[in-house]
Amino acid sequence: MIGKLNHVAIAVPDLEAATRLYRDTLGGTVSAPVPQPAHGVTVVFVTLPNTKIELLHPLGESSPIRGFLDKNPTGGVHHVCFEVEDILAARDQMKATGARVLGDGQPKIGAHDKPVLFLHPKDFLGTLVELEQA
Ligand code: CO
């Protein structure tokens, strides 16, 4: 069911330092910071030949990644995002296996203006999984 790895999201406590690391140390192609107030994050996109890295920094007091950074103050992998062809079919397949879909189970419009769902990390080897309809 899952297709391409769309992105790996890394929560970072210092967006400028993280951008320098990916641009200057690793030689990656990085974007300018993109504030996404609807998602409570500012994102720097690192474009790789086959996928993207998204450096996430909290935006606003109720940012959904603030708790993660409290537990992981130096930063860490926050989630991985796989593409699926049909988000509702993917959701139903996940539910049929007993995997927990976060929230109310309705796809939300994600950071790329496409429908997304998140799967419970305890059901996926400790990793928060995002599914995005390609
Ligand atoms: Co994501």
Side-chain angles (χ1 to χ4, degrees):
M1 180 190 77
I2 56 171
K4 288 182 180 171
L5 175 66
N6 184 277
H7 60 273
V8 175
I10 302 176
V12 302
D14 181 336
L15 195 54
E16 282 179 29
T19 301
R20 282 196 302 274
L21 188 68
Y22 267 83
R23 184 189 59 215
D24 302 339
T25 305
L26 290 172
T29 301
V30 304
S31 76
V34 181
Q36 298 191 323
H39 298 285
V41 290
T42 300
V43 185
V44 167
F45 297 93
V46 185
T47 304
L48 307 180
N50 61 338
T51 190
K52 295 185 290 287
I53 304 291
E54 295 185 3
L55 305 173
L56 306 181
H57 186 70
L59 177 64
E61 280 310 308
S62 58
S63 171
I65 65 167
R66 211 171 271 287
F68 181 90
L69 278 173
D70 287 344
K71 283 183 231 148
N72 303 275
T74 61
V77 173
H78 184 263
H79 64 269
V80 296
C81 177
F82 301 119
E83 296 180 3
V84 296
E85 281 184 16
D86 182 332
I87 194 81
L88 294 176
R91 176 197 61 191
D92 293 345
Q93 188 173 331
M94 289 302 96
K95 284 187 166 174
T97 67
R100 284 168 283 180
V101 176
L102 298 187
D104 62 6
Q106 293 306 315
K108 301 271 190 303
I109 296 304
H112 314 120
D113 294 325
K114 292 178 175 172
V116 303
L117 286 171
F118 285 91
L119 307 176
H120 202 298
K122 287 195 172 147
D123 294 336
F124 292 94
L125 309 172
T127 306
L128 178 62
V129 173
E130 180 178 20
L131 299 179
E132 180 177 291
Q133 186 165 288

